[in-house]
Amino acid sequence: MSAADITSQALRFVETTTYADLPEEALRIGRRCIVDAVGLYLAGSQESSVRILVADALDQGGRADAPLPAAGARRVPAPLAGRIWGTAGHAHDWDDTQVSHDPAHVYGLLTHPTIPPLTAALVVADMLGRRDGREVMLAFQLGFEVECKISEWMLPRHYRRGHHSSGTVGTFGACVAAAKLLGLTGPRLAHAFGIAASLAAGIRVNFGTMTKPLHVGRACENGITAALLAARGFDADPTALDGPWGFFSVMGEGFDAGKAVQGFGNPLTIVSPGVSIKPYPSGILTHQSMDAMLKLVLDHDLKPEQVERIRFFAGKNIIEPIRYPIARNHLQAKFSMPALLAMIVLRRRASHHEFEDAFVAGPAMQDLQARTDVINDLEIDARGYDLIRSRIEVETKDGRTLVEWADERYRGGPLNPISDADLDAKFRMCAEGVLEASAQEDVLALARSLDTGADLSRLMALLSATDAGEIRAVAE
């Protein structure tokens, strides 16, 4: 692939790929990603950030294209709906993460691949009245692949300069999914890419705030907007990715031509190198260390009152983005190793139920965070960033030093995937308090069979329902 060929290759891939071209393994993994995402929509629907966005969208009003999470029968224009579903899906920072085997690739550059294209596909399909789940699956898979390849090929400078890849690159995933369902081809599809390139945004300074998940919501909104505008005849430069002053050169100072020669879909990223499904609602860079702390606590039956001090050793790929020395609220806790390690010591788990402001700001969490040191280990840095490496030392009040290294074959990644049973358990945890048990099982079954006969309108109605009465009405 030449330096001026990436956009045209992307267009050809989107135009020509059919559902029949998707390998069974891509479909199997895709269904797991969808189950994961649907649970996250439910959990995110209860977040105050999402409720603010719902209220704002309802105040704006507009065409009744698509529903909103936990907002009942009310509907809003498709881009606004995309903004809110996308924010809900990323609200807990619990959505899946792209994988790379490149040891020079800064891990944070990789995107959260499912929420942008899946959100756009579900919203636009609902707007158009499409009921064939195979069309939705295809649109989702194409968006997933395009955004992942862009993310993999970009130089690490993109992330190191402060761009949030899930906001920037995710815009292309949403755009592709929406454009595929709208039937865009040729120049109109190229214009959609160009519009998306100018709308892509998100900066890392907002990690630990409501605006971080809004990056993903805006990626969904902007991708849908780009496709809808292109469908109306709005134009843009047809070489938006690799043209002069294009996305790669402006946002990432270029791309890795050696990687880009593989092209799109050869193989699909969702199959190889794969995707990780998160066991914890925090940054993917934290999970291996949290599992290590949990193992240390359980192996030694360590009680909170026995801990004198915690020392956490890691490379810059963890320490720079996981940046809060002491978290004061649940959003900051997602990006604070002292908070996450303290949470494991105090509760022996870290579900979204632990990520509550009252608990994070409480005296036990604040005290243990203050007794946790985060140390940049240069030897870990020197081993590269293809894997997430860290070491924990716990000094006990009786003079012991307990040590645990994180398992590089982290739980949730392709080498150590979450089982289907654990994935279902995560879904039910997300749905707890949002849907009653019977409705949870209905949503789970619909998500699992999205491309094999699921009733898409029923799925969206259940995800939008606000109370038991509405859920019963959907069932009837």
Side-chain angles (χ1 to χ4, degrees):
M1 184 182 293
S2 72
D5 197 36
I6 294 179
T7 312
S8 62
Q9 290 276 356
L11 300 176
R12 190 175 309 118
F13 171 73
V14 174
E15 286 181 348
T16 61
T17 305
T18 68
Y19 179 83
D21 295 325
L22 299 175
E24 183 54 42
E25 182 66 358
L27 294 172
R28 184 189 72 82
I29 298 171
R31 292 173 194 129
R32 282 169 51 88
C33 292
I34 290 167
V35 167
D36 190 46
V38 167
L40 296 172
Y41 289 142
L42 291 170
S45 73
Q46 306 304 298
E47 284 292 291
S48 58
S49 58
V50 174
R51 305 322 300 166
I52 290 170
L53 293 178
V54 168
D56 179 67
L58 294 175
D59 281 349
Q60 291 187 51
R63 193 175 58 226
D65 289 338
L68 295 171
R74 293 170 289 187
R75 298 170 71 89
V76 299
L80 274 179
R83 177 197 297 177
I84 298 164
W85 286 104
T87 302
H90 193 58
H92 288 288
D93 214 309
W94 215 351
D95 45 328
D96 56 22
T97 305
Q98 173 190 359
V99 172
S100 174
H101 293 327
D102 182 353
H105 212 60
V106 177
Y107 205 93
L109 177 62
L110 304 173
T111 190
H112 293 274
T114 286
I115 295 298
L118 180 63
T119 299
L122 290 172
V123 166
V124 173
D126 201 84
M127 177 187 75
L128 298 174
R130 299 285 182 84
R131 296 292 178 255
D132 187 345
R134 292 171 299 180
E135 291 183 323
V136 175
M137 175 65 84
L138 174 61
F140 159 61
Q141 293 263 356
L142 296 180
F144 189 112
E145 171 68 2
V146 168
E147 69 175 314
C148 284
K149 285 297 194 291
I150 292 172
S151 183
E152 175 67 28
W153 298 341
M154 288 186 74
L155 299 180
R157 293 187 190 95
H158 180 75
Y159 187 77
R160 296 300 296 272
R161 287 171 62 188
H163 297 291
H164 179 203
S165 310
S166 297
T168 57
V169 178
T171 306
F172 292 102
C175 174
V176 166
K180 187 66 175 180
L181 286 168
L182 289 166
L184 302 189
T185 59
R188 290 199 174 184
L189 182 58
H191 295 325
F193 268 77
I195 299 165
S198 278
L199 298 180
I203 54 177
R204 288 167 56 200
V205 71
N206 279 312
F207 280 21
T209 74
M210 290 181 180
T211 300
K212 200 262 190 179
L214 180 61
H215 292 168
V216 177
R218 288 287 284 174
C220 300
E221 176 183 7
N222 290 336
I224 294 169
T225 296
L228 290 173
L229 288 175
R232 289 181 179 272
F234 208 90
D235 73 0
D237 191 284
T239 59
L241 289 174
D242 43 26
W245 303 307
F247 183 81
F248 280 120
S249 64
V250 173
M251 300 290 274
E253 299 179 22
F255 64 94
D256 187 326
K259 289 182 181 180
V261 295
Q262 75 176 117
F264 295 93
N266 186 32
L268 291 171
T269 300
I270 200 170
V271 174
S272 180
V275 62
S276 65
I277 291 179
K278 287 184 167 188
Y280 298 113
S282 58
I284 184 66
L285 299 163
T286 68
H287 294 179
Q288 298 78 359
S289 308
M290 294 167 74
D291 272 349
M293 178 57 91
L294 182 61
K295 183 175 186 302
L296 185 151
V297 166
L298 296 178
D299 284 354
H300 298 276
D301 193 22
L302 185 67
K303 304 296 195 298
E305 59 271 17
Q306 296 175 304
V307 175
E308 179 66 34
R309 195 154 203 93
I310 299 170
R311 290 183 290 272
F312 175 74
F313 298 84
K316 286 190 285 291
N317 63 327
I318 298 178
I319 290 173
E320 287 183 359
I322 311 302
R323 64 195 183 96
Y324 288 94
I326 294 183
R328 305 297 183 187
N329 58 52
H330 78 284
L331 290 170
Q332 291 179 359
K334 295 176 183 296
F335 299 93
S336 169
M337 284 312 311
L340 297 169
L341 298 180
M343 190 177 291
I344 295 291
V345 172
L346 292 168
R347 291 282 182 86
R348 299 192 174 196
R349 72 173 202 170
S351 76
H352 66 304
H353 298 296
E354 276 65 57
F355 285 86
E356 296 287 346
D357 286 348
F359 175 61
V360 173
M365 278 285 287
Q366 293 296 301
D367 171 62
L368 194 49
Q369 287 186 73
R371 292 186 282 119
T372 299
D373 302 318
V374 175
I375 302 163
N376 185 194
D377 189 314
L378 298 182
E379 291 185 5
I380 292 177
D381 266 331
R383 295 172 65 183
Y385 301 135
D386 56 326
L387 298 173
I388 303 172
R389 302 176 173 97
S390 66
R391 181 176 80 257
I392 298 168
E393 295 181 0
V394 176
E395 180 184 333
T396 65
K397 292 183 178 178
D398 61 5
R400 292 174 294 159
T401 299
L402 311 176
V403 180
E404 191 71 44
W405 277 87
D407 186 347
E408 295 174 4
R409 293 176 67 256
Y410 64 93
R411 187 162 58 98
L415 297 177
N416 186 16
I418 287 176
S419 69
D420 287 343
D422 284 346
L423 178 60
D424 289 356
K426 177 182 173 181
F427 167 84
R428 293 186 182 99
M429 185 182 295
C430 288
E432 183 182 340
V434 185
L435 294 178
E436 56 190 21
S438 61
Q440 289 179 24
E441 297 310 307
D442 286 347
V443 170
L444 189 53
L446 289 165
R448 282 202 199 103
S449 61
L450 184 123
D451 62 319
T452 57
D455 183 339
L456 299 185
S457 61
R458 187 162 183 265
L459 173 63
M460 295 303 287
L462 284 168
L463 294 176
S464 305
T466 58
D467 55 38
E470 287 185 353
I471 292 169
R472 283 193 295 272
V474 172
E476 294 167 359

